[in-house]
Amino acid sequence: SQYRRALALLEGLEHRGPEDEARHEVERGIVLRRLGDRAGSRAAFERAIGASPRPEVAADVLQHLVTDAPDPELAEDVFRRARVGTPI
């Protein structure tokens, strides 16, 4: 499937720093969620926020959890923890 191909591409990317890692993990989390791997998706989102505590990273995760794949419980958790700067 297109998502499996996308996942393979994302897993082969090198990170040139924390911002790259965060961006790749957000994308990886989205793809995993679309493949039905909620636990893997959550772990990728955790790594994204852990790699870069910038608010933009949490905003990207929240955007996906609110619009593309609604998960109010996880979205609330991401929002709450992003506000205090702790991992998901």
Side-chain angles (χ1 to χ4, degrees):
S1 77
Q2 69 182 5
Y3 295 122
R4 293 217 180 275
R5 287 191 302 273
L7 186 59
L9 289 172
L10 286 166
E11 290 177 348
L13 293 175
E14 289 187 32
H15 308 305
R16 288 181 250 155
E19 296 306 314
D20 270 358
E21 181 179 1
R23 186 173 34 256
H24 296 160
E25 289 299 331
V26 168
E27 293 298 325
R28 200 167 164 277
I30 291 169
V31 170
L32 287 168
R33 197 158 195 79
R34 290 185 178 155
L35 286 169
D37 183 355
R38 294 173 64 93
S41 175
R42 182 182 183 112
F45 291 149
E46 288 176 358
R47 285 190 297 275
I49 292 173
S52 176
R54 290 182 23 179
E56 294 86 354
V57 174
D60 287 346
V61 172
L62 287 170
Q63 177 183 344
H64 173 69
L65 294 175
V66 172
T67 59
D68 293 341
D71 187 335
E73 182 180 317
L74 181 54
E76 183 178 339
D77 196 30
V78 168
F79 178 74
R80 184 175 2 90
R81 291 177 186 241
R83 287 185 49 202
V84 297
T86 59
I88 305 174

